[in-house]
Amino acid sequence: MPPATSPAATRTRRQPRQRALPTLKDGLPRPVLARVESLPAGSWTGEHSHPWAQLSYAVEGVLQVHTATGQFMAPPERAIWVPADLPHEVLTAGPAEMRSLYIDAAALQGSPLTQAQGCRVLDIPILARELILAVCALPPDYDEHGAPGRLVGVLLDQLAQLPTAALDLPLPTDARLLRLCEALQADPADRRTLAEWGREIGLTERSMVRLFQQQTGLSVGAWRRRLRLLAALGPLEGGEKVSSVARGCGYASASAFISAFCAEFGVTPAQMFAKR
């Protein structure tokens, strides 16, 4: 199972499948504009930003969004919220069905979504899913004062209430800690101790542990565990057996992997990837 990689490494490897960004020089034609895409494996967009917010929803496949502060992953029935003007990259390791909503800032006035300082992953319940798909079926010039506009309003109300899912991997800002994270991303199975890592990056073990928790909100051990489990999402979505994925993540047994997966994400792998 391939480990998580840095955006630069991923960009180099996936360049032949770069996605074209829509040209919207005059802004959005309506408060919400939908984009429907069937993406081949290895699709990516270079770093970009736009003056509107974006909701990227995974119907099938696993979407990844990379920013300067972390990596965010959306398996099926999850979505990634990207605030306006935030530089980001969008990646897909395997084939994916993607539904994007571009949302004008004026349509979000007073919404809790505007309080988010960065990206976040959202759980998408059935009602929100059906609303997203219905809005994606509207023409770009839908009647915003008629039934289509009211449908969009209901969708925006639902999006404001969606719970956040712990499917992100926050990155520290300290350059020494970033070296640690990049090394673990390149080799999640690295067995070096915290003391050995501290000597490697030039920090005492105590300082490293304190600073890492302060900047990411996770302990080094919890961050490494989440890294391994997030790396498992793509193979699981692709149909790889749990026992094989567990071994690739460094777990001694499928049961140990499932237990860790459930503790981290609140569901088993089978539940996360069950087809609705």
Side-chain angles (χ1 to χ4, degrees):
M1 182 179 64
T5 57
S6 67
T10 304
R11 180 168 59 247
T12 300
R13 189 168 62 249
R14 293 174 180 166
Q15 190 167 357
R17 298 184 178 90
Q18 183 175 9
R19 295 167 54 227
L21 294 171
T23 301
L24 297 166
K25 295 181 179 180
D26 298 325
L28 301 179
R30 293 292 186 271
V32 175
L33 177 67
R35 186 183 185 194
V36 177
E37 294 179 277
S38 296
L39 303 176
S43 299
W44 69 278
T45 57
E47 185 176 86
H48 64 285
S49 64
H50 31 67
W52 50 80
Q54 178 176 344
L55 183 81
S56 295
Y57 168 58
V59 179
E60 295 180 9
V62 177
L63 301 178
Q64 301 180 47
V65 169
H66 291 184
T67 72
T69 60
Q71 300 174 11
F72 305 81
M73 299 187 70
E77 310 307 338
R78 278 81 180 173
I80 301 174
W81 177 259
V82 183
D85 299 315
L86 180 70
H88 62 284
E89 294 180 272
V90 183
L91 316 168
T92 58
E97 285 293 326
M98 182 176 175
R99 304 294 181 265
S100 294
L101 299 177
Y102 300 147
I103 305 176
D104 189 274
L108 293 170
Q109 287 185 355
S111 171
L113 291 171
T114 61
Q115 300 171 8
Q117 298 300 311
C119 287
R120 52 178 169 152
V121 183
L122 303 174
D123 280 322
I124 303 295
I126 292 176
L127 175 58
R129 174 186 186 273
E130 294 304 317
L131 287 168
I132 290 171
L133 296 181
V135 169
C136 284
L138 295 175
D141 58 348
Y142 63 83
D143 181 5
E144 58 184 304
H145 301 295
R150 292 192 292 274
L151 177 67
V152 169
V154 173
L155 170 61
L156 293 176
D157 287 342
Q158 287 298 309
L159 294 183
Q161 304 174 42
L162 296 181
T164 301
L167 289 161
D168 63 301
L169 193 68
L171 293 174
T173 56
D174 184 90
R176 295 162 296 182
L177 296 181
L178 278 174
R179 282 177 53 203
L180 166 63
C181 291
E182 289 172 356
L184 290 175
Q185 287 175 313
D187 182 11
D190 193 304
R191 298 294 184 181
R192 275 176 282 186
T193 66
L194 293 180
E196 289 172 328
W197 273 117
R199 289 193 294 270
E200 175 72 22
I201 65 176
L203 284 170
T204 66
E205 180 179 348
R206 174 178 291 185
S207 295
M208 181 182 67
V209 169
R210 176 185 54 79
L211 194 58
F212 198 95
Q213 178 79 43
Q214 184 182 78
Q215 294 193 0
T216 68
L218 297 171
S219 68
V220 178
W223 191 93
R224 182 185 296 191
R225 181 170 58 251
R226 186 177 291 186
L227 166 68
R228 292 176 177 177
L229 294 172
L230 288 176
L233 297 182
L236 288 170
E237 163 66 7
E240 191 169 328
K241 291 183 178 180
V242 171
S243 57
S244 175
V245 175
R247 287 193 300 271
C249 286
Y251 285 86
S253 67
S255 59
F257 169 76
I258 292 172
S259 177
F261 193 98
C262 192
E264 185 72 30
F265 302 133
V267 294
T268 66
Q271 290 170 331
M272 177 173 284
F273 292 98
K275 301 296 184 183
R276 293 192 179 182

